Amino acid sequence: MEERFDIVVIGGGPAGLAAAVSARRAGIDSVLIIERDKVLGGILNQCVHNGFGIHTFGEELTGPEYADRYVRMVEDMNIPAELDTMVLDFDADRVLTVVSPEKGLRRIHAGAIILAMGCRERPRGALNIPGYRPAGIYTAGTAQRLINIDGYMPGRDVVILGSGDIGLITARRMALEDARVRCVAELMPYSGGLRRNIVQCLDDFDIPLLLSHTVVEIHGRERLTGVTLAQVDEKLKPIAGTEKHIPCDTLLLSVGLLPENELSRQAGVELSSVTGGPVVDGDLSTSIPGVFACGNVLHVHDLVDWVSLEAETAGKNAADFVKNGKKPAGERVYITPGPGVRYTVPSYVEKGNIGEKVTVRFRVADRYKNASTCALAEGKVLSKKKRMVMAPGEMEELIIDGAALENAASVTVFVEE
Amino acid sequence: MYDVVIIGAGVTGCSIARELSKYQLKICLIEKETDVCCGTSKANSGIVHAGFDSVPGTLHAKLNIQGAALMEQYSEMLDFHFRRNGSLVLCFSDEDRPQLEELLQRGIKNGVKNLSIIEREELKALEPNVSDLAVAALYAPDGGIVCPFGLTIAMAENAAVNGVEFKFSTQVESVKKTGEDFEISTSRGRIVSKTVINAAGLYGDTLHNMVSGEKIEIIPRKGEYCLLDKSNGEVVNATVFQLPGKLGKGVLVTPTVHGNTLIGPTAEDILDKEGVDTTARGLKNLTEKAVLSIPKLPVKTVITSFAGLRAHISREKKDFMIGEVSDCPGFIDAVGIESPGLTSAPAIGLYVADIIKGKLNPAEKTDFIERRKASVDPKSLSFEEHQQLIARNHAYGNIICRCEVISEGEIIDAIRRPLGATTLDGVKRRTRSGMGRCQGGFCAPKIMEIISRETGREETELIKSGEHSLLLSDKLER
């Protein structure tokens, strides 16, 4: 017998949970969440620090608490979730192949699919750091999992490469367990993490942040014995003569997150070379009709609150697709990144299908002080926001009036200094 | 008392062990590392050379041709990944054509079949991504690729099943001939044997020099590699070499049997026999040379880099050194096994076994188990077969490694098999879990949990590969 659901959500992390709840609220009864872990909540489960939910719930929650709010909504709504279940592939007809120990290998047909697989960390190999390949090198997220979920310390004498938020938070976490955190080295002249994390995780623990530094060599044949750090020039190349040896038994990497789009790629979903996530329209619909994307699989977010918000939009639009089918394709209005902006989500909207307001999310390419973000169409300012400080580590958004987009040919989002 | 002690569980030692396990002999294989395939055998190009590169009349030439011919049969019998994808040697300048012609003639003399020189047009038709600067190429359709771990582990497992004893983490301290026999002192006690086979790779000289007055020296020749992500698809179909010429010694670009693209190796003589570190200079050099062959090579998609050390024997004639040591009967060298050593491994096994047979005259076993079955690869099964597998064993439905899609069932099997994995790298080499683009970020903690459960060892005792490569420092008190 054919198994069929109106909406299948791939991933039971913050994006998947919020999307499922939103789809149900939009009147879809038949919703299924597929989660490969044993529990819902995704990466939030290992984020035991607080600072989640200020925007969504108006209070500061820990990761597991934030997840729990949504898990309860899912439970209260009786939305089924299959745990320990991995999607092996899906196709353009929205047929998924899934596998689990309990139910084995099977196919599920979906009216619409919401991609909410999240992201993963760039490993050492991607950086191609020369040296040995000893034990003791982990991504910050793996270390976080080992400490917070499994209850093991990966090491006691730590250098962290990359000042992404997970690196900063793991630096503090290890310091709290009395590990020696020697420093956080950052290739760029600025941190990739949130300002509040630099203050609360490094400054408060006297952990030095070495900007414009990188690891140029890894030492130790069996277990890591140290790393060589060097300063880098404006072109990010190591400067000869600035090398210094730092003894340590652990190197944690927090050098970027990559949307996890293996499934999307296999299925033929068009991906952005900048974000690594699907190219989407104003409805967060991917290039395959009926397949929507939200959260970190679409583009890496800094705050979970924005993930939930984005996922609600995806859930609502997937519900609409199930009820009304694909909207007739309208003329595309492309939203493209201009000077100072790396990418925009969505990449375009379609005339006739534009809602009342369109939220455009993006990241800036550099640090800016007292600048503005601006959306411009044919010389006309559609939206503009004054920003005291901006950095690539923090996501920006502009809200554009839908009616204005209906009359636009193309929109550019840029930074005005 | 053993009949044969083999020192070194690389591809050479394991091939010899497997071949000798056909006979009624008491055999022990000693390895200083924690697993088989931990040295030169684990870090090389994985190429089954057609055999045009070796000087005619050498053991290189003879054993290469024989080994390449046996590889297909072995891959079927012992169930490891091998593919005859063909080899190309690119020639970038008309001035270099004589060298290309020389290679062709050498190949023909060595007995390589189906060799030909092809011109640019045919080359481009065969390999569309090859550089337009290549004017011609030597084409050897019989060249192939093999999984070096797969080959070594398969032979080792089969040898173990047929009675060969493996002693890991056992370092040889001295070898002495006492009367007719050998006394081998190791870090784990004394072993006595009638014969000793030196398959100690980089340390082959140390072993040899313990018993012989004719001293030899083995120089570690470093080769660095970069492995590219699978998502690129196959950038090349064949293994693409560069003809040594104006550009110096070239590097190769090859698909691996698992669908990645591998580039390498550099060649640098070093002093340190454990110096498997990669260098900034080496990696840069590598990518610069590789794009000469394949301009569109997606070098930004490197998922890992590594270095291996060839056991280069320092002497005038470039060849393997295989045979009984003249001033120490019963001690057999299989040293200086650098390229084409992997290709030659099956033939080296036969060659050394013949020497032992000549000395000990053993009877053949009647119960020799010739075939070895690899772990089930669910990806090779049909949908229905895959369903049935999970229905029989639920662990095959629990995906542990997301990048390579490896299930718990496969990991448990890798641990429970003969000579099963005990380390994280051991599981990785047997199952490919952790070999994908996230390089174990997600699956390492889960695999550690499985190894701990299966072996009864605390997670804080688990190692990556070497005895001191502890993965965790301590358990937190809760």
Side-chain angles (χ1 to χ4, degrees):
Chain A
M1 201 188 67
E2 192 179 281
E3 268 187 273
R4 171 171 284 280
F5 289 86
D6 282 343
I7 293 181
V8 172
V9 182
I10 307 178
L17 294 170
V21 166
S22 158
R24 173 61 64 82
R25 281 186 183 146
I28 303 296
D29 280 338
S30 158
V31 178
L32 174 69
I33 301 171
I34 299 181
E35 166 56 44
R36 57 189 161 195
D37 214 332
K38 290 180 169 30
V39 287
L40 291 172
I43 208 69
L44 286 173
N45 290 318
Q46 68 181 53
C47 302
V48 299
H49 52 284
N50 64 354
F52 299 90
I54 301 163
H55 303 275
T56 311
F57 297 111
E59 53 185 312
E60 276 203 56
L61 305 172
T62 65
E65 285 168 349
Y66 187 98
D68 190 54
R69 299 275 172 110
Y70 276 94
V71 172
R72 282 196 206 173
M73 288 183 230
V74 163
E75 284 171 357
D76 290 346
M77 292 175 165
N78 287 318
I79 298 173
E82 289 204 10
L83 303 176
D84 252 333
T85 304
M86 170 113 168
V87 177
L88 294 180
D89 59 52
F90 71 88
D91 63 20
D93 297 325
R94 301 185 297 276
V95 181
L96 302 96
T97 310
V98 305
V99 65
S100 73
E102 285 298 306
K103 295 189 172 178
L105 185 69
R106 57 199 228 274
R107 296 215 165 94
I108 296 174
H109 296 251
I113 292 175
I114 299 175
L115 306 176
M117 294 90 81
C119 62
R120 75 178 131 71
E121 297 171 283
R122 283 177 76 197
R124 172 196 173 180
L127 305 178
N128 227 0
I129 308 171
Y132 287 93
R133 300 195 298 153
I137 304 172
Y138 294 98
T139 60
T142 305
Q144 192 182 48
R145 182 202 148 103
L146 285 168
I147 300 168
N148 293 342
I149 306 275
D150 301 336
Y152 292 101
M153 282 296 276
R156 286 277 162 198
D157 195 355
V158 191
V159 167
I160 297 175
L161 175 61
S163 57
D165 289 311
I166 310 173
L168 301 175
I169 283 157
T170 311
R172 172 176 64 184
R173 186 71 188 87
M174 294 201 78
L176 283 170
E177 294 293 344
D178 290 327
R180 177 171 183 179
V181 183
R182 302 248 179 188
C183 62
V184 173
E186 169 59 56
L187 181 70
M188 303 303 286
Y190 48 84
S191 165
L194 293 170
R195 279 185 299 275
R196 70 172 197 219
N197 282 335
I198 293 174
V199 174
Q200 293 170 7
C201 300
L202 300 189
D203 298 353
D204 291 358
F205 289 81
D206 290 325
I207 298 169
L209 172 62
L210 304 177
L211 297 173
S212 298
H213 274 74
T214 193
V215 173
V216 292
E217 198 172 348
I218 287 168
H219 306 282
R221 284 167 187 148
E222 301 222 335
R223 175 80 197 198
L224 186 71
T225 58
V227 297
T228 304
L229 283 184
Q231 214 178 317
V232 298
D233 61 20
E234 312 81 68
K235 287 179 180 157
L236 309 179
K237 297 281 177 229
I239 302 169
T242 62
E243 297 89 355
K244 53 190 163 200
H245 182 264
I246 314 274
C248 58
D249 66 15
T250 307
L251 173 65
L252 300 185
L253 303 173
S254 179
V255 290
L257 298 167
L258 304 167
E260 204 173 341
N261 276 292
E262 277 71 22
L263 287 174
S264 327
R265 186 178 294 112
Q266 270 176 37
V269 170
E270 188 192 340
L271 301 178
S272 151
S273 61
V274 179
T275 59
V279 171
V280 292
D281 66 13
D283 288 346
L284 303 181
S285 166
T286 70
S287 62
I288 297 184
V291 177
F292 297 79
C294 57
N296 283 351
V297 79
L298 178 55
H299 58 139
V300 176
H301 293 62
D302 47 359
L303 294 183
V304 71
D305 304 72
W306 310 143
V307 168
S308 301
L309 213 57
E310 188 174 83
E312 276 173 35
T313 308
K316 195 166 67 64
N317 290 326
D320 188 57
F321 178 88
V322 169
K323 285 188 276 191
N324 304 317
K326 187 173 159 41
K327 293 176 185 170
E331 191 192 328
R332 283 188 183 184
V333 181
Y334 283 94
I335 302 169
T336 49
V341 172
R342 287 189 54 233
Y343 69 86
T344 61
V345 168
S347 303
Y348 62 90
V349 289
E350 285 186 345
K351 289 191 180 176
N353 303 333
I354 304 173
E356 213 173 295
K357 303 264 177 215
V358 173
T359 305
V360 180
R361 297 191 170 90
F362 56 96
R363 284 188 188 246
V364 292
D366 204 346
R367 287 169 304 170
Y368 296 95
K369 276 195 177 154
N370 297 316
S372 298
T373 56
C374 185
L376 196 73
E378 294 83 45
K380 211 168 110 193
V381 174
L382 303 187
S383 181
K384 189 167 178 172
K385 206 194 257 183
K386 185 116 185 87
R387 304 283 287 128
M388 297 273 282
V389 189
M390 285 189 287
E394 305 193 10
M395 206 160 80
E396 299 291 329
E397 68 172 41
L398 280 175
I399 295 169
I400 305 179
D401 192 43
L405 283 169
E406 287 287 354
N407 298 317
S410 70
V411 181
T412 309
V413 178
F414 62 97
V415 177
E416 198 176 65
E417 283 185 90
Chain B
M1 165 79 94
Y2 290 97
D3 293 311
V4 184
V5 163
I6 302 165
I7 302 167
V11 70
T12 304
C14 292
S15 175
I16 295 168
R18 194 253 166 189
E19 196 54 43
L20 286 174
S21 70
K22 292 176 180 167
Y23 302 93
Q24 294 180 21
L25 293 167
K26 194 165 151 50
I27 306 166
C28 175
L29 201 161
I30 305 175
E31 169 57 50
K32 70 176 168 53
E33 300 296 332
T34 57
D35 198 353
V36 302
C37 201
C38 282
T40 304
S41 305
K42 84 161 197 289
N44 56 71
S45 310
I47 304 298
V48 176
H49 293 277
F52 49 75
D53 213 14
S54 310
V55 177
T58 58
L59 275 181
H60 270 180
K62 175 181 159 172
L63 300 177
N64 183 339
I65 297 287
Q66 198 185 346
L70 286 171
M71 203 59 84
E72 187 154 11
Q73 181 196 333
Y74 271 53
S75 74
E76 191 262 326
M77 195 161 62
L78 299 175
D79 204 7
F80 58 84
H81 291 280
F82 162 72
R83 183 150 66 88
R84 218 176 271 288
N85 64 321
S87 310
L88 288 164
V89 184
L90 304 186
C91 174
F92 288 98
S93 149
D94 283 322
E95 287 163 45
D96 290 337
R97 277 181 186 268
Q99 282 100 288
L100 198 65
E101 182 63 32
E102 191 189 317
L103 218 47
L104 172 72
Q105 291 311 325
R106 208 192 287 171
I108 292 169
K109 212 171 275 174
N110 286 342
V112 183
K113 292 190 194 106
N114 308 317
L115 270 186
S116 64
I117 288 178
I118 57 172
E119 295 300 316
R120 182 183 282 156
E121 205 167 294
E122 195 179 338
L123 172 63
K124 291 289 281 187
L126 215 57
E127 287 294 346
N129 290 330
V130 154
S131 165
D132 291 336
L133 300 175
V135 295
L138 178 68
Y139 179 42
D142 287 352
I145 48 179
V146 66
C147 172
F149 320 124
L151 167 64
T152 309
I153 290 166
M155 293 195 296
E157 278 183 15
N158 190 236
V161 165
N162 285 301
V164 173
E165 260 178 70
F166 282 73
K167 291 186 195 288
F168 293 111
S169 302
T170 305
Q171 173 109 35
V172 173
E173 284 156 1
S174 72
V175 181
K176 270 192 220 118
K177 184 138 191 192
T178 51
E180 286 300 292
D181 305 323
F182 288 90
E183 204 183 294
I184 304 151
S185 295
T186 78
S187 55
R188 303 213 168 185
R190 205 177 59 107
I191 298 169
V192 182
S193 178
K194 287 181 189 160
T195 60
V196 175
I197 295 167
N198 174 14
L202 291 159
Y203 296 92
D205 53 353
T206 312
L207 268 294
H208 171 98
N209 296 343
M210 284 175 185
V211 300
S212 174
E214 292 165 31
K215 304 301 179 194
I216 60 167
E217 189 190 3
I218 285 178
I219 296 166
R221 181 167 285 179
K222 187 188 283 188
E224 300 183 39
Y225 293 90
C226 290
L227 190 70
L228 309 187
D229 192 44
K230 274 180 175 180
S231 64
N232 303 307
E234 291 206 344
V235 181
V236 285
N237 308 307
T239 301
V240 179
F241 298 89
Q242 297 167 346
L243 185 67
K246 285 195 299 190
L247 307 165
K249 195 183 156 17
V251 301
L252 63 82
V253 180
T254 184
T256 69
V257 284
H258 300 290
N260 297 86
T261 301
L262 180 69
I263 63 176
T266 56
E268 185 196 1
D269 288 349
I270 61 168
L271 297 170
D272 182 0
K273 291 187 174 178
E274 301 290 329
V276 290
D277 53 328
T278 54
T279 62
R281 184 168 36 87
L283 298 176
K284 185 164 170 273
N285 189 337
L286 204 60
T287 39
E288 282 171 2
K289 280 186 173 174
V291 294
L292 296 175
S293 294
I294 312 292
K296 274 195 253 170
L297 195 69
V299 287
K300 288 230 162 73
T301 63
V302 168
I303 58 169
T304 187
S305 56
F306 59 90
L309 300 175
R310 311 167 182 88
H312 177 66
I313 194 156
S314 162
R315 57 174 184 171
E316 228 166 89
K317 197 176 114 198
K318 191 183 169 215
D319 206 354
F320 300 140
M321 192 169 124
I322 307 176
E324 193 164 8
V325 173
S326 57
D327 58 349
C328 186
F331 189 97
I332 291 119
D333 277 330
V335 298
I337 312 296
E338 55 182 320
S339 180
L342 187 73
T343 311
S344 305
I348 295 173
L350 286 166
Y351 190 88
V352 175
D354 274 343
I355 299 173
I356 292 290
K357 275 152 67 183
K359 297 195 72 72
L360 303 177
N361 201 19
E364 272 187 50
K365 278 180 192 163
T366 50
D367 56 352
F368 175 68
I369 300 159
E370 185 184 63
R371 303 185 76 82
R372 170 256 185 193
K373 197 85 203 90
S375 296
V376 181
D377 177 6
K379 287 186 277 300
S380 69
L381 303 177
S382 70
F383 192 83
E384 289 70 26
E385 288 169 334
H386 194 172
Q387 275 182 319
Q388 287 157 10
L389 174 71
I390 299 168
R392 281 198 304 275
N393 184 345
H394 293 324
Y396 284 93
N398 185 16
I399 305 299
I400 301 292
C401 167
R402 303 170 184 180
C403 303
E404 296 290 319
V405 197
I406 309 294
S407 65
E408 185 182 2
E410 291 158 87
I411 292 166
I412 292 174
D413 186 57
I415 298 168
R416 291 186 187 169
R417 293 179 74 76
L419 290 184
T422 58
T423 65
L424 194 60
D425 280 358
V427 169
K428 171 166 135 179
R429 288 184 204 123
R430 283 167 179 80
T431 62
R432 294 189 57 72
S433 52
M435 278 200 192
R437 59 188 70 89
C438 95
Q439 290 283 300
F442 278 121
C443 62
K446 290 185 179 178
I447 294 171
M448 280 149 62
E449 203 181 306
I450 298 170
I451 298 175
S452 169
R453 189 183 69 210
E454 286 290 315
T455 62
R457 269 185 284 177
E458 289 294 329
E459 287 198 41
T460 46
E461 294 166 23
L462 299 183
I463 52 178
K464 179 171 181 282
S465 179
E467 250 178 297
H468 305 289
S469 61
L470 287 170
L471 289 159
L472 301 169
S473 62
D474 53 286
K475 193 171 169 110
L476 290 168
E477 299 298 327
R478 287 287 155 90

